Amino acid sequence: MTAPGLTTAMDLKSHIREVPDFPKAGILFYDITTLLRQPSGLKAVIDALTAPYAGDGIDVVVGIESRGFILGAPVAERLGAGFVPMRKPGKLPARSVRAEFSLEYGSDALEVHEDAMHAGQRVLIVDDVLATGGTARAAAQLVRRTGGQLQGLAFLIELQMLNGIAKLEGEQVFSVLQY
Ligand code: AMP
């Protein structure tokens, strides 16, 4: 089924499935597959993520594994930019740099090819959800360590109660939907 003309935030939210206790007890998971499977939903999401950056001269969009890949690549194409994947450890084939970050329990890391960005390139980071902000902060560190000029971070969803924005002080942060 395709919803015609998904335009407002309420429209978009009404097509995001909220799954309690996934992947573990106490987490309310925002499942965007129910939005993206609809042509009008996919278009509205990419329109909304792209609009603030039109004319900003973005050279590279960085997508964070894995839902950041789904959103980041079409945003990059729309902006006339290239796309760079930022991945979980051990997935990239060539020499990479790594940033580690702490999660609620334990830690995780992100990697990017060390030659993925050229010095001075204007970079936009894209991901689906800004939660505690640890992932996004590590991504921002990697952009700078590989020479990119970080212009901003764009998310489909910001979970405001988790205050991830505090970990991104000094950055330009945009979110389409806030919960
Ligand atoms: P964080 O580092 O806490 O900001 O977590 C951000 C990453 O975890 C993003 O890449 C999201 O895909 C994922 N994530 C965190 N919380 C949720 C949630 N409630 N629903 C869906 N994805 C989430």
Side-chain angles (χ1 to χ4, degrees), residues 22 27-31 64-68 101-103 127-136 159 162 164:
F22 183 87
I27 303 283
L28 179 64
F29 191 89
Y30 291 87
D31 174 16
I64 302 176
E65 187 167 357
S66 57
R67 289 180 294 275
F101 54 97
S102 51
L103 296 171
D127 202 3
D128 64 334
V129 175
L130 174 62
T132 67
T135 308
L159 304 180
L162 297 175

Side-chain angles (χ1 to χ4, degrees), residues 21-178:
D21 299 319
F22 183 87
K24 58 188 177 197
I27 303 283
L28 179 64
F29 191 89
Y30 291 87
D31 174 16
I32 61 172
T33 67
T34 42
L35 175 60
L36 300 184
R37 72 187 181 195
Q38 304 174 61
S40 60
L42 179 61
K43 181 178 185 311
V45 166
I46 303 306
D47 284 349
L49 283 170
T50 306
Y53 307 99
D56 279 5
I58 301 294
D59 299 303
V60 171
V61 173
V62 166
I64 302 176
E65 187 167 357
S66 57
R67 289 180 294 275
F69 296 172
I70 299 168
L71 303 176
V75 168
E77 198 279 334
R78 288 264 193 101
L79 292 174
F83 176 78
V84 165
M86 213 165 256
R87 301 209 64 181
K88 303 279 168 62
K91 304 272 191 180
L92 289 168
R95 279 174 62 117
S96 300
V97 288
R98 174 186 294 204
E100 303 201 345
F101 54 97
S102 51
L103 296 171
E104 212 174 342
Y105 305 106
S107 68
D108 206 344
L110 284 176
E111 293 182 347
V112 69
H113 278 144
E114 63 181 11
D115 60 357
M117 284 159 261
H118 302 304
Q121 280 192 314
R122 296 164 69 84
V123 178
L124 173 68
I125 292 171
V126 172
D127 202 3
D128 64 334
V129 175
L130 174 62
T132 67
T135 308
R137 185 164 66 179
Q141 287 168 354
L142 284 179
V143 167
R144 295 211 165 90
R145 275 168 53 193
T146 50
Q149 269 184 28
L150 185 59
Q151 302 299 301
L153 300 98
F155 303 90
L156 176 56
I157 293 169
E158 178 183 349
L159 304 180
Q160 292 181 316
M161 270 179 54
L162 297 175
N163 200 27
I165 199 108
K167 287 211 178 78
L168 300 173
E169 215 183 310
E171 309 289 5
Q172 292 290 326
V173 180
F174 167 71
S175 56
V176 177
L177 303 172
Q178 297 80 33

